[in-house]
Amino acid sequence: MIRVGLGEDMHRLVQGRRFILGGVEIPAERGELGCSDGDVLAHAVTDALLGAIGMGDIGELFPPSDDAWKDADSMNLLRIAFNRIQALGWRMVNIDCVVKCEKPHILPYRRQICESLATVLGVPPEAVFVKGKTGEGLGPVGEGIAVQASAVCLLEWP
Ligand code: MG
């Protein structure tokens, strides 16, 4: 059996916060606002995985109202979610992602981001892909006040 999952997320960009994508910190003027570390890509990937098997969503597993997740490392949340999915016998086939932000450019960090996600998901780096897009000056992404991420994943059950 195979199952597909979709995840999306958006975070406000503000000064004084770190900009982290898939566990990789990227130098930037503004960073992601969030009750966790704000890693928008990790959140989208986590929701894609959970959605694929109908296990709920990231907000249900890790409620923002729960102080346990305040300033949490989002890659750790992804790891916890994936471990639960793996425990049911599911295996990751591949994951494909889009990150939309005006700045910074993520291409120089793509390889590192793919490797970081692949490590947590137990797949080779080529099973994870991340594309960077700008907002062409349009909307909150284009104005540089938001970063958005989408992810689709394919899970396989033997
Ligand atoms: Mg989020």
Side-chain angles (χ1 to χ4, degrees):
M1 179 164 49
I2 56 170
R3 298 286 287 266
V4 66
L6 168 68
E8 288 192 345
D9 199 18
M10 180 187 260
H11 281 232
R12 191 179 287 275
L13 291 174
V14 295
Q15 289 187 336
R17 292 276 301 186
R18 297 188 300 157
F19 189 95
I20 304 171
L21 289 178
V24 176
E25 184 166 354
I26 298 174
E29 283 173 30
R30 294 169 176 222
E32 298 142 312
L33 190 61
C35 58
S36 64
D37 62 6
D39 187 336
V40 70
L41 180 58
H43 294 177
V45 169
T46 303
D47 262 347
L49 295 174
L50 294 170
I53 64 160
M55 199 187 248
D57 64 44
I58 189 169
E60 282 179 278
L61 257 68
F62 312 106
S65 54
D66 185 342
D67 277 350
W69 311 119
K70 188 169 161 35
D71 297 325
D73 173 349
S74 298
M75 290 298 278
N76 197 36
L77 306 186
L78 172 60
R79 191 175 290 113
I80 292 168
F82 187 57
N83 284 347
R84 290 193 193 179
I85 291 163
Q86 259 189 323
L88 297 173
W90 291 94
R91 191 184 70 84
M92 169 65 68
V93 178
N94 78 306
I95 190 144
D96 191 21
C97 313
V98 178
V99 174
K100 289 184 188 169
C101 64
E102 215 62 13
K103 278 193 289 189
H105 291 299
I106 69 156
L107 184 58
Y109 303 93
R110 172 196 276 166
R111 188 188 172 92
Q112 215 182 327
I113 294 167
C114 291
E115 285 175 356
S116 170
L117 288 167
T119 300
V120 167
L121 300 172
V123 291
E126 56 270 23
V128 178
F129 202 69
V130 178
K131 293 169 288 292
K133 298 286 204 186
T134 70
E136 296 285 345
L138 298 167
V141 169
E143 289 164 20
I145 58 171
V147 56
Q148 203 174 2
S150 310
V152 287
C153 75
L154 192 69
L155 296 178
E156 181 181 55
W157 199 73

